Amino acid sequence: MKKYIYILGIGITALLSACSKELTNTNKNPNALEQADATTLLSNTIVTEFYNNSNIVWTLGNGYSQYMTFSQSYYDQPTRYSPVTNEPYWIPLFEAARDANTLYTLAQQKNNPMLQAAALTLRSYAFAQLTELWGDIPFLQALKGNSGVYTPAYDSQQTVYTDAGQGIIPSLRKADSLLKANPAGLIEGDMLYSSSVTNWRAFINALRLRYLLRVSSKMDVSAEMQSIIADGAIMQSAAQSAALTLPTVTPYNFVSLTERSGDFAVKYMNSTLYDQFVATGDSSRISAYFAVNTLTPSGAAFSFNNYGGMPLVVDATTTQTNQSSNFNVSFTKGTNTALIKARVITYAEQQFILAEAAIKGLVSGGNSVATTYYNSGVTGAYAEVGLSAGTAANYLTHAAVALDNSLPANALKQIITQKWLVNINNGFEGWIEYRRTGYPAFQTGGSANMNNGVIPTRFLYPTSEQTINNTHYSTEITAMGGKETTTYKAWWEK
């Protein structure tokens, strides 16, 4: 791992002993920052995390989650599950964690509880992404570069989630407590919620619910989940979703707006997604995201037959490309701005989390409450892409959409599939949830799959870990069984 990922700052302290005090003062640069600026650091960390999430989803995340298929082997090897390191995402995540940690220190110095809470939230999200995509990671020592620790030890995924001092869940719990005790605050540079304590608490608690559910097979999370509900500081509508409107020009625009036409043209709807749209009669969302195929005459009435999904392929045939659907012009022209936001977690996902928790008895209310959560989740999911509550209500009348809670397994399959649908263009969430639940059923891809016909459970560690942090890397690989693979399962997945 490159040293600069872990270094929080390097001070240049060598002074020439022969220089006089006056000469030293004369040579000070009045324009140089003596310490990081909190306003800039906050806005940069927000943009870094949200933009990189949207950037990686367009090239890799949608493929791993089986929303998208590349039609040509020149492009598609990573999304055919070829063992890759995904280092271009590893690096900015550690940088974001570093910056958020620096921001937390500044916030403590400023005695600004709201800034502390924001910093803890952003640091927690960065580490959550890292452990959910790679497993065990450098963690407790990872941000100690200013103390001379440049080759940090790896920590277990359980430690990353639960460590009392830095763990994801305790840090988010602390962030919420800070805001609960300090309901009025101001943080400059807040591009996400403009210093709204209510919205930050809702964001924080949505993430808490996500990660508590993620680890619920390994620890009792019911009391904490129930307390979050009882406190009421959760998202109440899609307006509170953690979604950042990106600029329409480089460098931080949604990638599709400025990518080459040839790169855009090889991205097709995955057949897994197409099958779910058809099975649930989801005419609204399929047309919101995708164009009709090239076989459809201009002006044709809506029909699912005018759309198509492409399976995992090495190189698609002409028949496959003709029958399959590209993303529509909203992704090149920006005509539906709701589709090209950078999202971390939505109100809809939160409601599906609560619905699953109710079905499993992790929170009170049982089937009736689960249905309420589920229905509001569907409504929120439609709102995320600019579709009305009335349209969502009509969708909920479809036999395959109305929640079937006659058996827990039936309800859970529907809830998690709907959660998967709302997470199109949201990092790797669809793939992560598939690994946790098995829903919806993913295609393994047969001979097109480059991971021995298996859906991977993690990325490989970056090659820089083997060169710069080899001692700790080797210790971690030994703990894995002596060989690094993409099918190793960390703590919550075992």
Side-chain angles (χ1 to χ4, degrees):
M1 183 177 294
K2 295 180 176 65
K3 289 184 180 180
Y4 69 83
I5 296 176
Y6 302 115
I7 298 175
L8 298 181
I10 299 176
I12 301 175
T13 58
L15 300 175
L16 298 174
S17 58
C19 292
S20 66
K21 180 178 180 181
E22 290 78 8
L23 182 59
T24 301
N25 289 335
T26 300
N27 282 303
K28 284 183 178 179
N29 180 0
N31 297 315
L33 290 175
E34 294 185 1
Q35 66 177 3
D37 172 69
T39 300
T40 302
L41 202 54
L42 175 61
S43 60
N44 283 353
T45 306
I46 291 171
V47 170
T48 294
E49 292 193 356
F50 279 74
Y51 169 74
N52 280 296
N53 182 292
S54 71
N55 180 53
I56 200 70
V57 77
W58 195 246
T59 55
L60 193 60
N62 276 344
Y64 260 65
S65 299
Q66 298 203 1
Y67 303 125
M68 178 183 73
T69 301
F70 285 96
S71 61
Q72 296 178 15
S73 57
Y74 177 80
Y75 297 89
D76 69 10
Q77 292 189 26
T79 57
R80 287 163 51 204
Y81 303 120
S82 172
V84 294
T85 66
N86 197 12
E87 188 166 7
Y89 197 41
W90 168 281
I91 291 172
L93 284 171
F94 268 110
E95 290 174 339
R98 172 204 64 195
D99 290 347
N101 200 60
T102 302
L103 186 63
Y104 181 62
T105 300
L106 289 174
Q108 289 179 306
Q109 294 170 358
K110 292 175 177 290
N111 193 27
N112 187 329
M114 189 173 184
L115 191 59
Q116 291 176 51
L120 288 171
T121 305
L122 295 168
R123 188 184 73 184
S124 296
Y125 176 70
F127 278 129
Q129 287 281 281
L130 285 159
T131 193
E132 290 177 343
L133 300 182
W134 282 272
D136 302 337
I137 57 170
F139 178 58
L140 294 177
Q141 296 180 346
L143 305 180
K144 295 186 180 296
N146 62 339
S147 301
V149 180
Y150 305 133
T151 54
Y154 284 66
D155 292 293
S156 70
Q157 188 177 77
Q158 182 176 4
T159 298
V160 180
Y161 276 103
T162 65
D163 177 74
Q166 289 181 218
I168 295 163
I169 294 171
S171 292
L172 290 171
R173 188 186 304 132
K174 181 176 182 179
D176 183 59
S177 296
L178 283 166
L179 295 185
K180 185 176 182 179
N182 299 275
L186 176 66
I187 47 175
E188 295 180 351
D190 180 9
M191 303 175 66
L192 186 60
Y193 288 126
S194 301
S195 292
S196 168
V197 171
T198 299
N199 288 344
W200 270 101
R201 287 194 70 192
F203 176 30
I204 291 163
N205 286 320
L207 288 177
R208 286 175 71 191
L209 290 168
R210 174 194 277 177
Y211 300 131
L212 287 167
L213 185 60
R214 204 89 93 200
V215 305
S216 60
S217 66
K218 295 297 183 181
M219 55 188 287
D220 185 358
V221 301
S222 56
E224 186 164 353
M225 292 187 87
Q226 191 65 59
S227 70
I228 292 170
I229 296 170
D231 208 28
I234 58 177
M235 294 178 181
Q236 303 299 318
S237 73
Q240 290 182 292
S241 292
L244 188 66
T245 300
L246 299 174
T248 57
V249 295
T250 55
Y252 293 113
N253 57 282
F254 196 87
V255 182
S256 64
L257 293 177
T258 52
E259 75 176 333
R260 296 184 306 172
S261 59
D263 294 340
F264 182 83
V266 297
K267 297 180 175 75
Y268 289 86
M269 179 177 9
N270 188 291
S271 56
T272 302
L273 180 56
Y274 175 74
D275 291 345
Q276 291 299 329
F277 281 145
V278 174
T280 61
D282 202 343
S283 58
S284 298
R285 278 191 288 190
I286 195 172
S287 54
Y289 281 104
F290 295 98
V292 295
N293 60 34
T294 58
L295 301 177
T296 303
S298 177
F302 175 85
S303 170
F304 283 110
N305 293 331
N306 295 336
Y307 296 81
M310 185 179 291
L312 293 182
V313 294
V314 179
D315 286 292
T317 65
T318 300
T319 298
Q320 286 174 319
T321 56
N322 286 342
Q323 292 177 342
S324 301
S325 296
N326 293 110
F327 287 87
N328 64 29
V329 295
S330 293
F331 290 93
T332 56
K333 304 296 184 183
T335 49
N336 183 350
T337 56
L339 295 177
I340 53 175
K341 290 182 178 181
R343 291 178 170 85
V344 164
I345 190 167
T346 62
Y347 164 72
E349 182 184 342
Q350 173 196 275
Q351 296 305 92
F352 292 132
I353 289 167
L354 293 173
E356 180 181 344
I359 291 292
K360 290 181 172 179
L362 297 174
V363 300
S364 62
N367 288 348
S368 62
V369 168
T371 300
T372 300
Y373 286 138
Y374 173 82
N375 290 347
S376 59
V378 170
T379 302
Y382 267 47
E384 288 295 333
V385 294
L387 297 170
S388 71
T391 305
N394 183 62
Y395 176 62
L396 280 162
T397 65
H398 191 283
V401 179
L403 189 63
D404 174 12
N405 52 28
S406 60
L407 292 172
N410 295 346
L412 290 173
K413 181 179 180 179
Q414 288 179 283
I415 291 165
I416 296 162
T417 298
Q418 288 294 333
K419 187 201 292 188
W420 176 76
L421 286 168
V422 80
N423 275 323
I424 299 171
N425 286 339
N426 187 356
F428 295 92
E429 287 305 314
W431 173 51
I432 295 168
E433 279 293 280
Y434 165 77
R435 287 158 38 203
R436 183 180 71 87
T437 67
Y439 296 128
F442 276 18
Q443 56 184 296
T444 56
S447 61
N449 185 308
M450 300 181 71
N451 195 47
N452 297 316
V454 177
I455 306 295
T457 56
R458 61 182 295 274
F459 292 109
L460 301 175
Y461 292 122
T463 53
S464 55
E465 284 296 285
Q466 301 176 42
T467 56
I468 296 174
N469 197 19
N470 183 260
T471 297
H472 294 306
Y473 167 81
S474 298
T475 300
E476 176 59 27
I477 300 308
T478 299
M480 282 184 171
K483 181 180 180 181
E484 185 176 11
T485 70
T486 60
T487 54
Y488 175 78
K489 295 182 178 180
W491 176 55
W492 60 254
E493 213 166 340
K494 289 181 179 178

